[in-house]
Amino acid sequence: MTTRKRWVKWGSLGLLLMFLAGCGLVTLGLTQNFSVTHLGDKAKHAMTATSVQEANKQAQRRAARGQTEAFDYANTSQLTPLTVARYGLQELFGKSSYRAVGELRVPAVGLDLPIGVGVSDAVLVRGAGTLKVDQQMGDGNYALAGHYMTAKRILFSPLAGVREGNNIYLTDKQQTYRYQVTRVWVTNRYHVEVIDDVPGKKLVTLVTCATAKRGEQNRLVIRGELKSVKRVAA
């Protein structure tokens, strides 16, 4: 075999391997996105007024015992296909202890996610997570965090399209709380005061990374004010 033919052969093989690797990465990405969506949808479908009450009681008991590690954002890592697969397997084999305490919807950007207690990976792989131990819907500043992903339609990524005047809905399956967005801004990750209560205000605050870039230092913040509360029909 001539030298030229060898180069052509190895060059073709290299291109084939690159193509297969690219297909593999695309498949992993699609599988991750599907699994994240599936986990969130399953959590929402399993949620009832009774299950929410029980989940809140469990969270209150843990807080009373000083077990607040679920709220330590430093323990939260960027999602990977392996992380997502692990939680998918836990769900499949009935090993998951996740229970939603509510649902978050922003119709203008197609966001519809379960709300879990704290910001652990098990919570944020499914949807939104509460940032404070004792927060309650419709009172104070109800603060939620979520992942910003490269896929623009999952988790908190759609928040990039939120504008002032959009509605944000929270529900605990007993009441539905409608907030109207009053401010959208980007701030440094260390400006944690954005989740503090504001005297005389009933707010919701949504926080996510400003981009999907690894190590992103800035945070996108969505702030809304409570406009109405309606009882959920039985």
Side-chain angles (χ1 to χ4, degrees), residues 71-164:
F71 295 88
D72 186 356
Y73 205 85
N75 293 331
T76 302
S77 58
Q78 195 165 22
L79 290 184
T80 67
L82 290 177
T83 303
V84 175
R86 177 159 59 91
Y87 288 109
L89 288 173
Q90 286 182 1
E91 192 73 48
L92 180 64
F93 292 105
K95 301 295 185 180
S96 173
S97 60
Y98 177 90
R99 296 292 181 275
V101 294
E103 185 175 352
L104 163 68
R105 292 192 300 114
V106 187
V109 294
L111 187 148
D112 187 354
L113 298 169
I115 301 169
V117 176
V119 288
S120 66
D121 287 338
V123 169
L124 297 187
V125 75
R126 293 171 167 85
T130 55
L131 281 165
K132 295 181 289 186
V133 175
D134 56 352
Q135 61 187 39
Q136 296 181 356
M137 293 180 185
D139 190 23
N141 184 5
Y142 195 84
L144 298 171
H147 280 303
Y148 189 102
M149 307 290 285
T150 53
K152 302 304 182 184
R153 297 175 63 88
I154 63 174
L155 298 180
F156 267 30
S157 303
L159 292 183
V162 170
R163 299 292 181 264
E164 291 184 12

Side-chain angles (χ1 to χ4, degrees), residues 34-78:
F34 173 81
S35 297
V36 167
T37 301
H38 175 72
L39 285 168
D41 287 345
K42 187 170 182 179
K44 286 185 299 180
H45 294 154
M47 186 171 53
T48 65
T50 300
S51 71
V52 168
Q53 288 179 334
E54 182 56 33
N56 277 315
K57 288 178 181 177
Q58 289 178 358
Q60 290 166 5
R61 288 194 291 268
R62 289 196 297 269
R65 293 194 295 265
Q67 298 174 332
T68 58
E69 63 277 0
F71 295 88
D72 186 356
Y73 205 85
N75 293 331
T76 302
S77 58
Q78 195 165 22

